[in-house]
């Protein structure tokens, strides 16, 4: 079964304190569904139309696990805490 991936690209961080509070809640919420962070930070280099912005990739045992994690009440609580503290593009994709 292919793995699932949550990919977040932060285009702007408006409130570092909110981001820290979000991360403290989001990490255990995602890990509860088997999520493992494999990328978390700034790119070493960007190419083509890339933007130097925070990138996070979390790997899950399956696409269903990734979707369930993001839709879980615990993760939604983390999103509520973020409350406009960052602009981001989030995608959930299936591995090959």
């Amino acid at each position: 079964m292919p793995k699932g991936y949550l990919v977040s690209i932060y285009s702007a961080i408006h409130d570092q304190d909110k981001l820290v509070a979000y991360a403290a809640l989001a990490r255990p919420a995602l890990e509860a569904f088997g999520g493992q962070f494999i990328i978390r930070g700034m790119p070493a280099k960007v190419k083509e139309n890339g933007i130097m912005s925070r990138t996070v990739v979390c790997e899950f045992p399956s696409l269903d696990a990734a979707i369930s994690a993001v839709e879980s009440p615990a993760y939604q609580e983390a999103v509520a805490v973020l409350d406009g503290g960052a602009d981001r593009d989030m995608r959930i994709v299936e591995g090959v």
Side-chain angles (χ1 to χ4, degrees):
M1 175 183 316
K3 294 185 179 189
Y5 295 86
L6 180 152
V7 181
S8 291
I9 308 294
Y10 288 74
S11 57
I13 297 173
H14 307 292
D15 187 325
Q16 188 67 34
D17 291 337
K18 285 184 178 182
L19 182 61
V20 169
Y22 157 81
L25 294 174
R27 183 176 186 152
L30 298 175
E31 288 176 343
F33 287 84
Q36 295 184 348
F37 290 89
I38 58 174
I39 298 171
R40 188 174 54 219
M42 297 297 287
K45 185 173 186 103
V46 295
K47 303 289 275 177
E48 299 180 22
N49 291 320
I51 298 170
M52 186 62 74
S53 60
R54 182 174 175 77
T55 304
V56 176
V57 177
C58 187
E59 180 182 71
F60 291 86
S62 68
L63 180 62
D64 287 341
I67 292 169
S68 294
V70 171
E71 293 177 348
S72 72
Y75 184 74
Q76 290 305 307
E77 180 182 345
V79 171
V81 167
L82 185 56
D83 185 36
D87 296 332
R88 59 192 178 156
D89 176 359
M90 180 185 287
R91 298 160 192 238
I92 301 170
V93 296
E94 187 171 47
V96 294

